Amino acid sequence: MSYSTADLSRPVTLDDVRGAQKMLSGVARTTAMEGSRYLSQLVGAPVHFKCENLQRTGSFKLRGAYVRIAGLLPEQRAAGVVAASAGNHAQGVALASSLLGVASTVFMPKGAPLPKISATQEYGAEVRLHGQVVDETLAAAQEYARETGAVFIHPFDHPDVIAGQGTVGLEILEQCPEVRTIVVGVGGGGLAAGIAVAVKEVRPEVRIVGVQAEGAAAYPPSLAAGRPLSLAQPVTMADGIRVGRPGDVPFGIVGDLVDEVRTVTEDQLSAALLLCLERAKLVVEPAGASPVAALLAEPGSFEGPVVAVLSGGNVDPVLMQGVLRHGMAAQGRYLAVRLRLTDRPGALATLLGVLSAADANVLDVSHVRTDPRLGLTEAEVELHLETKGPEHCVEVGHALRDAGYTVMR
């Protein structure tokens, strides 16, 4: 399957996706479909996870990258391929190229997490660090393609890539034939477009809901305008869907076949990631957890059975640590308080005794005595506490005030 530049507006068909599925046999895994009892109770209908976080390279990106590279002409393969990515697409291109015997060069931002750089190199790509943001990295990769003749492999804006991603939709129909709603994260739109092509021709009544991070939601205004629009500066922890402009090819498909595109907040993304880890025992990156965030935000608005596509699990451990803290705070299970007390022996021990009696777990204590804002006999204490939820946070606050402390935040 191969398209010329002139064919880039050509719709991707169900036959294209089926052809991609044959091509990916023995390459991409048919990932598991796992039920979620918690979300099923919340939604009032069966909810299943399509676990692309367990795919080879840790995301769905291998599917589209392999189909795109496999479709190259022999002289194109000989010239090698080049890509730009901060993570998932980089690893997908690296592995696909190695499996097909094609040399690959991947440009990554200088601040890309070390585990993602190492994984891309281990899959066989030459990694070049360039720029501080993906836009700069993308420009460098395209310039490299012009100079060397290497084929640029776009992460979402090509029919072959969309056809490859659409194989996720075929697997969903096979694994959950009674599905009524599919919820999928949206960045540039390749995955949502591919799933829509695969599903709608077979089951047009299935509702497909796209999900974007609130700070990187280019699709809602673009769909309203009828053309792709660019965001000045997309901001979200979900780097997998932090895309400032919809792809030209997927945009038309999403506009025609995706029923709705919703947005979720950073708090909702954090809570969703935490739920996947605690309840489903699945490591999922923020972008992959976006469908779960949408289900948590408005559980009553989805007709079941529902399939939520967990698109990836490549999360940097440092980010994971911060996101989990953020998620615990969003759920009222992590509380930071600051207060003043009299600076005398035993004062801190007394305070900790109050917190112990309130059943709050102290994670961190900062004790300041030498701030010019403090009186001669005062000390300021900042505490990070693990609590049991919003109601317990209120109880802890009452316990501190009842003990005579003034809680400053």
Side-chain angles (χ1 to χ4, degrees):
M1 181 167 41
S2 180
Y3 295 83
S4 68
T5 303
D7 291 329
L8 286 182
S9 61
R10 173 181 173 179
V12 180
T13 67
L14 177 60
D15 284 344
D16 293 331
V17 180
R18 286 174 172 160
Q21 188 175 46
K22 291 179 182 177
M23 189 179 294
L24 288 167
S25 178
V27 176
R29 294 173 180 150
T30 299
T31 51
M33 184 84 75
E34 298 286 343
S36 171
R37 182 180 300 176
Y38 177 82
L39 284 176
S40 296
Q41 292 175 342
L42 199 64
V43 171
V47 175
H48 306 280
F49 293 148
K50 177 58 174 167
C51 300
E52 281 296 290
N53 59 310
L54 303 180
Q55 184 57 262
R56 296 178 70 179
T57 75
S59 89
F60 71 97
K61 289 289 189 178
L62 171 65
R63 297 173 184 262
Y66 187 91
V67 173
R68 173 74 173 103
I69 298 169
L72 296 178
L73 299 171
E75 58 268 28
Q76 291 175 311
R77 291 196 190 194
V81 299
V82 61
S85 169
N88 289 346
H89 181 58
Q91 294 172 61
V93 168
L95 179 56
S97 299
S98 294
L99 293 172
L100 290 163
V102 177
S104 63
T105 303
V106 176
F107 284 76
M108 304 181 77
K110 292 180 179 178
L114 290 177
K116 294 186 178 182
I117 295 173
S118 297
T120 303
Q121 291 171 326
E122 289 168 7
Y123 287 129
E126 176 190 347
V127 173
R128 299 192 180 192
L129 302 180
H130 184 93
Q132 300 299 325
V133 296
V134 174
D135 285 345
E136 295 173 354
T137 309
L138 181 63
Q142 291 172 326
E143 178 62 25
Y144 178 88
R146 287 189 290 268
E147 291 176 352
T148 66
V151 179
F152 179 69
I153 306 299
H154 200 284
F156 50 82
D157 207 9
H158 193 281
D160 286 0
V161 173
I162 294 170
Q165 320 304 29
T167 58
V168 175
L170 293 181
E171 290 179 16
I172 290 172
L173 293 179
E174 292 165 2
Q175 294 171 309
C176 185
E178 68 279 12
V179 62
R180 298 292 298 180
T181 306
I182 297 173
V183 192
V184 56
V186 178
L191 178 60
I195 289 175
V197 168
V199 171
K200 284 291 190 176
E201 189 170 330
V202 181
R203 293 276 308 283
E205 77 280 6
V206 173
R207 185 172 180 80
I208 298 178
V209 179
V211 183
Q212 291 207 288
E214 193 174 68
Y219 261 93
S222 296
L223 291 170
R227 58 187 174 86
L229 300 177
S230 298
L231 298 178
Q233 191 173 6
V235 178
T236 176
M237 73 175 83
D239 59 345
I241 54 174
R242 189 171 59 223
V243 177
R245 183 183 184 278
D248 292 329
V249 181
F251 177 76
I253 298 172
V254 169
D256 289 341
L257 298 180
V258 172
D259 296 279
E260 180 186 359
V261 177
R262 301 186 179 193
T263 62
V264 292
T265 66
E266 299 298 283
D267 282 353
Q268 289 163 345
L269 286 169
S270 297
L273 189 147
L274 187 61
L275 182 142
C276 289
L277 189 62
E278 286 190 326
R279 298 286 183 139
K281 314 307 178 192
L282 291 169
V283 175
V284 182
E285 62 190 87
S290 59
V292 179
L295 289 169
L296 290 173
E298 295 185 66
S301 64
F302 296 90
E303 182 183 1
V306 178
V307 173
V309 181
L310 308 183
S311 57
N314 293 319
V315 57
D316 179 42
V318 176
L319 175 63
M320 172 71 89
Q321 186 178 32
V323 170
L324 290 179
R325 284 199 303 266
H326 191 79
M328 291 180 70
Q331 289 188 347
R333 294 169 51 191
Y334 185 81
L335 178 65
V337 295
R338 183 163 55 91
L339 46 81
R340 291 184 183 179
L341 45 74
T342 302
D343 187 16
R344 57 176 175 75
L348 182 58
T350 301
L351 170 61
L352 296 178
V354 172
L355 293 170
S356 176
D359 206 19
N361 184 31
V362 179
L363 301 176
D364 187 50
V365 178
S366 175
H367 193 201
V368 179
R369 293 186 176 91
T370 56
D371 192 300
R373 296 172 302 161
L374 299 173
L376 183 63
T377 60
E378 288 183 320
E380 186 173 282
V381 178
E382 182 170 352
L383 305 108
H384 292 191
L385 310 173
E386 183 181 2
T387 56
K388 300 176 182 178
E391 292 182 0
H392 190 213
C393 288
V394 174
E395 292 173 5
V396 171
H398 286 325
L400 289 169
R401 292 182 180 91
D402 290 346
Y405 297 103
T406 300
V407 179
M408 302 170 69
R409 73 161 189 236

